[in-house]
Amino acid sequence: MHEFALARAARDTIVKHKKDRVKIYIGEIQQIDVELFKRLLVEETSDLNVLLEFYEMPAKMRCNVCFSEWLYRDLELTEDQKESIHFLPESIHIFVKCPKCSSNDFSIVEGRGIYIGTD
């Protein structure tokens, strides 16, 4: 499971920024075990005296042709397709098309990865 590696990388980023409060944004397309990641990160940072705030971000796409927007969670993807996207995020363009114009030329505007906010 790569939740361990993600928790360690998040800890390293948190240590680097030396903040008392950190916001962790977990993108839907990351497709991780969110509860496991949260637990691991809390354990990894227990010695840092930092407040962690977790936010799960829905994934939103925007068509570069017709500018329509849609949510990842509204798509009807098979488990195999979701797994392919999980391991190779750019493969999303193979499996997903704009629901309005059927183009596969779109951008993921939010909800892709894990972000650390220190504001």
Side-chain angles (χ1 to χ4, degrees):
M1 289 184 203
H2 65 285
E3 286 82 358
F4 293 100
L6 290 171
R8 178 55 57 120
R11 181 196 197 287
D12 292 346
T13 301
I14 291 166
V15 166
K16 185 176 177 181
H17 289 285
K18 299 177 184 168
K19 299 289 182 177
D20 295 332
R21 186 174 129 230
V22 176
K23 296 179 180 180
I24 314 294
Y25 299 93
I26 305 166
E28 181 179 20
I29 293 178
Q30 190 70 35
Q31 297 180 27
I32 62 169
D33 182 331
V34 174
E35 292 308 312
L36 175 61
F37 173 73
K38 287 179 181 180
R39 186 171 37 103
L40 291 169
L41 188 54
V42 167
E43 289 173 10
E44 286 284 331
T45 58
S46 64
D47 63 328
L48 299 179
N49 195 27
V50 63
L51 173 65
L52 302 175
E53 297 177 9
F54 293 95
Y55 301 91
E56 293 181 50
M57 302 295 296
K60 181 169 57 172
M61 277 70 75
R62 180 180 301 126
C63 180
N64 294 325
V65 176
C66 73
F67 306 105
S68 177
E69 292 186 350
W70 65 94
L71 296 175
Y72 181 80
R73 64 178 55 158
D74 294 338
L75 300 172
E76 295 182 17
L77 297 171
T78 67
E79 289 305 312
D80 286 343
Q81 290 170 330
K82 289 178 182 178
E83 187 171 346
S84 293
I85 293 167
H86 170 71
F87 287 111
L88 185 61
E90 293 306 316
S91 70
I92 194 170
H93 296 279
I94 295 168
F95 305 112
V96 175
K97 294 182 184 204
C98 172
K100 187 173 180 183
C101 74
S102 298
S103 172
N104 66 348
D105 181 11
F106 62 87
S107 301
I108 302 168
V109 292
E110 57 187 45
R112 180 173 176 161
I114 295 177
Y115 303 95
I116 312 288
T118 57
D119 55 307

